[in-house]
Amino acid sequence: MTDPIRLGIFGWPVAHSKSPQMHESAAKALGVALRYERFEVAPEGLVDAVLAKHAAGIDGYNVTVPHKVAIMSLVDEVTPAAKSIGAVNTVVQHGGRYLGHNTDAPGLVRSLEEAGVELRGAHVVVLGAGGAARAAVVGLADAGATEIRVLSRRPEQSEALCRSLADAVDCGLESAPLSEAGRHFGGASLLVQATSATLESNPGAQAFADSLPLHALPEGAAVVDMVYKPLETTLLARAAARGFSTIDGLGMLLHQGAIAFEMWTGFEPPLDVMRSALSD
Ligand code: NDP
């Protein structure tokens, strides 16, 4: 019998992660031996925990909140895209060296393509200026968006994001305060919600959705919310009620995992199996 591919996810907390069942059920469907564990590690324990797994020859792993930035200095190399985004969520071992990738950006792109959203020539408005927003900007620019506007409640945050990504992306990139959303929604073909404001744990989720001037979006615009808890966020419910096509955050979660699975195993990921493991 061959040794199983050894994988895991570093996070704090990480008990809620559905990545173990997503990857293990995909491997089972393909008849591949694979073990995927949760590594619940506090920030102060990350260096020792990661170096111990490297020394033990782990084949690869995911990294989630709050370690996506800190992991960058612990791996041997980081891809240029992950460097631009400033975050690594997937690490792959090649011949004893650990390479850090960001699969959130292509994961978002694939989920939008799967939903039939035209990204070439898209005019995009991104809400938020954290790591998820940075991944959206890099991924959508790579996919051919013509113009991206990044709106944040603290304007200095989106200004800093745009300044730092200006050389990494080949499209128009502008920042603006979220309070001026009405002026920017009018020309958007795609609205990307990349804040944590619509999480079900946030008591202000409804107020956040109500404050957005969705009436200003052009007919035919698509709205994606990266948050997947709940699947239908307050924003998506309002957007659907206005007749916009809506895409939830589960597709991005699925595709970032599918891209990682393919890099780790070399097998084409069984998307339906992975999708149903996430929905259980
Ligand atoms: P960060 O904490 O790095 O950034 C969160 C951003 O949201 C900040 O810009 C923050 O602004 C803003 N924000 C929070 N609350 C509000 C509010 N009420 N109004 C306006 N802005 C607000 O988180 P990430 O960027 O890593 O992730 C954002 C969300 O994306 C997460 O909730 C996560 O669920 C989702 N995500 C989904 C993925 C998927 O696979 N579907 C992958 C990655 C992320 P401020 O700094 O002012 O607080």
Side-chain angles (χ1 to χ4, degrees):
M1 226 171 88
T2 53
D3 285 340
I5 298 172
R6 289 165 305 149
L7 305 170
I9 179 166
F10 288 93
W12 177 258
V14 79
H16 64 281
S17 171
K18 290 194 169 179
S19 291
Q21 60 251 49
M22 173 167 67
H23 291 292
E24 287 189 346
S25 57
K28 196 168 165 202
L30 296 170
V32 172
L34 180 154
R35 180 139 189 255
Y36 189 110
E37 295 176 85
R38 291 184 178 86
F39 306 131
E40 181 136 318
V41 178
E44 58 275 21
L46 188 70
V47 176
D48 288 349
V50 166
L51 295 183
K53 292 296 174 195
H54 287 187
I58 192 166
D59 296 300
Y61 51 89
N62 284 128
V63 185
T64 188
V65 178
H67 304 314
K68 286 184 182 185
V69 177
I71 195 69
M72 295 177 75
S73 58
L74 301 178
V75 293
D76 296 304
E77 206 180 323
V78 173
T79 64
K83 239 181 235 163
S84 298
I85 294 165
V88 159
N89 75 325
T90 300
V91 175
V92 184
Q93 192 223 131
H94 294 284
R97 286 174 55 77
Y98 288 89
L99 178 59
H101 297 259
N102 187 301
T103 66
D104 283 335
L108 173 68
V109 167
R110 284 199 193 173
S111 78
L112 292 170
E113 287 171 346
E114 189 178 61
V117 177
E118 180 59 59
L119 298 178
R120 198 145 287 285
H123 287 236
V124 183
V125 170
V126 174
L127 307 179
R134 292 181 71 88
V137 169
V138 171
L140 294 170
D142 262 11
T146 304
E147 185 186 89
I148 303 180
R149 296 186 187 189
V150 184
L151 276 46
S152 64
R153 64 176 168 185
R154 289 183 292 130
E156 68 277 13
Q157 211 191 16
S158 47
E159 281 162 21
L161 184 158
C162 291
R163 247 195 328 271
S164 69
L165 288 181
D167 292 338
V169 301
D170 190 18
C171 70
L173 184 60
E174 260 184 59
S175 64
L178 186 57
S179 55
E180 293 174 11
R183 284 209 296 122
H184 301 281
F185 278 21
S189 57
L190 172 64
L191 176 64
V192 179
Q193 198 306 105
T195 77
S196 45
T198 58
L199 279 172
E200 65 190 357
S201 52
N202 179 10
Q206 189 62 54
F208 174 78
D210 290 345
S211 72
L212 297 174
L214 293 184
H215 57 85
L217 283 176
E219 202 179 315
V223 179
V224 59
D225 197 328
M226 288 193 187
V227 165
Y228 51 86
K229 266 188 182 165
L231 269 190
E232 187 180 59
T233 62
T234 49
L235 169 63
L236 292 187
R238 284 189 80 237
R242 287 188 169 269
F244 297 113
S245 56
T246 58
I247 300 104
D248 64 45
L250 202 72
M252 177 178 178
L253 183 67
L254 166 72
H255 286 289
Q256 63 77 29
I259 295 164
F261 183 88
E262 190 161 358
M263 289 195 288
W264 289 325
T265 68
F267 286 94
E268 191 177 322
L271 290 178
D272 289 346
V273 173
M274 296 175 88
R275 200 187 309 268
S276 69
L278 286 177
S279 310
D280 280 348

